[in-house]
Amino acid sequence: MRLLIHKNHEEASLWAANYIAGRMNAYTRTAEKPFVLGLPTGSSPLLIYRELIRQVQEGRLTFADVHTFNMDEYIGLSADHPQSYRYYMKENLFNHVDIDHANVHLLDGMAKDPQEECRLYEEAITRLGGIDLFLGGMGSDGHIAFNEPGSSLTSRTRIKTLTEETRNANARFFGGDPANVPATALTVGVGTVMDAREVLIIVTGRNKARALHAVVEEGVNHKWTLSCLQMHPRAIIVCDEDAVDELKVGTVRYFKDIEQDHI
Ligand code: GLP
């Protein structure tokens, strides 16, 4: 696992956007062999999306022959609900880049048969050859997507019940009341993320420091599901100085030191 420590959220986001754009540009894409990108929502990736949009508008990047799979979706929110992740993705990325909307894959939180919806999602990922790069954020309890503490580290796309901590954290998008946050969601599994050829996670802010310590310095553990990255052959966490507040001085020094010479 690589851990890149930037001064602040802005610099970490710019680095991540350039990394993603670099991977997309380097990949020889066709309709039959598209680049497959996994995507998150939340506040963490917003500046990354803004930078990707800028690069598309400047003609330096294209989403032609790119397929995207989003990580998760609340159960019970319609596509036009402003807090649905489908709505978020349109507003913050898809409406502003040259992606073929048929190539956008999102879980349907209103699906009549949610289990079948999850099965078909996994099938679609497999049919497209798997995810090349999965971008993600991290919840303050160390979760990836909506894989709350206790999730199986081999889990696949399925229904999950959200914890109180997650509903409290996301209440800010629902008028400040955790009771307004849906209690359940559809989410890719830890195993789904682990199958991606590469995983890039952005973690910024002091409120993520406790979880980042567990993920980086403790063992692989289902209580902090992002710790699964320790088992991934190509994983990067890009973070800011605030997020590393709870790491040992020696750990921070080590990662800064090896990144100096990274090629
Ligand atoms: C939710 C999402 C995660 C996201 C997390 C952190 O729980 N399901 O994918 O990483 O929130 O959100 P934020 O980036 O707003 O801190």
Side-chain angles (χ1 to χ4, degrees), residues 40-45 71-72 85 137-139 143 145-146 166 170 172-173 208:
T41 53
S43 47
S44 302
M71 290 192 145
D72 42 21
Y85 285 168
M138 177 183 73
H143 71 232
F146 269 135
T166 296
N170 291 350
R172 67 191 195 278
F173 302 116
K208 305 283 175 75

Side-chain angles (χ1 to χ4, degrees), residues 15-197:
W15 187 92
N18 284 332
Y19 188 86
I20 297 164
R23 279 285 184 263
M24 287 167 68
N25 286 333
Y27 191 93
T28 312
R29 301 175 236 160
T30 62
E32 292 69 40
K33 195 172 161 288
F35 186 82
V36 184
L37 184 61
L39 295 174
T41 53
S43 47
S44 302
L46 282 173
L47 291 186
I48 300 178
Y49 293 156
R50 196 185 297 171
E51 175 61 19
L52 293 177
I53 292 167
R54 199 170 70 89
Q55 296 195 15
V56 169
Q57 288 170 349
E58 288 174 358
R60 294 192 279 138
L61 179 69
T62 173
F63 276 73
D65 295 327
V66 171
H67 279 250
T68 63
F69 283 87
N70 261 82
M71 290 192 145
D72 42 21
E73 179 60 283
Y74 290 114
I75 289 183
L77 298 193
S78 63
D80 58 355
H81 190 292
Q83 297 314 332
S84 75
Y85 285 168
R86 186 177 291 265
Y87 188 94
Y88 168 107
M89 288 308 297
K90 279 192 194 161
E91 286 287 300
N92 293 299
L93 185 66
F94 299 144
N95 283 351
H96 313 286
V97 296
D98 58 340
I99 194 159
D100 178 344
H101 287 252
N103 293 354
V104 166
H105 307 264
L106 286 135
L107 286 156
D108 180 0
M110 299 288 280
K112 284 205 178 61
D113 184 346
Q115 273 173 7
E116 179 65 359
E117 172 73 6
C118 294
R119 194 189 65 75
L120 291 172
Y121 206 63
E122 288 278 343
E123 214 173 82
I125 294 173
T126 306
R127 203 171 41 244
L128 285 161
I131 292 175
D132 290 297
L133 173 59
F134 221 135
L135 172 67
M138 177 183 73
S140 54
D141 59 5
H143 71 232
I144 170 76
F146 269 135
N147 293 288
E148 298 284 31
S151 293
S152 158
L153 298 182
T154 60
S155 50
R156 312 305 307 187
T157 305
R158 69 212 184 292
I159 305 165
K160 279 302 285 183
T161 302
L162 306 185
T163 61
E164 199 181 323
E165 181 165 340
T166 296
R167 291 178 80 195
N168 285 341
N170 291 350
R172 67 191 195 278
F173 302 116
F174 290 83
D177 185 355
N180 294 337
V181 182
T184 51
L186 302 181
T187 179
V188 296
V190 179
T192 319
V193 176
M194 288 295 283
D195 280 353
R197 283 180 267 285

Side-chain angles (χ1 to χ4, degrees), residues 7 13-14 41 70 80 87 93 103 116 130 152 184 188 194 196 198 200 212 224-225 231 241 247 251:
K7 205 164 73 203
S13 302
L14 185 63
T41 53
N70 261 82
D80 58 355
Y87 188 94
L93 185 66
N103 293 354
E116 179 65 359
S152 158
T184 51
V188 296
M194 288 295 283
E198 215 175 340
L200 172 62
L212 192 66
W224 309 89
T225 54
M231 303 286 288
E241 292 283 355
L247 295 190
T251 304

